[in-house]
Amino acid sequence: MIFLELGNLTGIFIAVLLIMFGPPVILAIIGAAIKNKNKKASEIMYILAVVYLVIGLGVCGSMVG
């Protein structure tokens, strides 16, 4: 019965937020870093970041809310 008791869920909430916002931020940073070298790859990174963010907010946001 110990597994059914809910305590402090802050760690799980932070993990879900990192899953939602972590990869898009990393992809945006990579896109900004390679902007001068390869503009096409930079645009693709930005698009991937936005798509991941929309999907992450939709799926993970529905799990949290």
Side-chain angles (χ1 to χ4, degrees):
M1 286 297 165
I2 294 174
F3 297 114
L4 298 177
E5 295 178 12
L6 294 176
N8 189 2
L9 299 177
T10 305
I12 294 174
F13 188 71
I14 291 173
V16 169
L17 286 177
L18 284 175
I19 291 171
M20 287 168 53
F21 294 111
V25 169
I26 292 171
L27 287 171
I29 291 171
I30 292 171
I34 64 172
K35 189 173 186 178
N36 292 333
K37 293 181 182 178
N38 194 351
K39 186 173 180 173
K40 182 81 172 175
S42 174
E43 290 177 2
I44 291 173
M45 289 293 179
Y46 289 139
I47 292 170
L48 285 174
V50 170
V51 169
Y52 192 100
L53 185 64
V54 168
I55 292 172
L57 288 176
V59 174
C60 294
S62 67
M63 287 175 25
V64 171

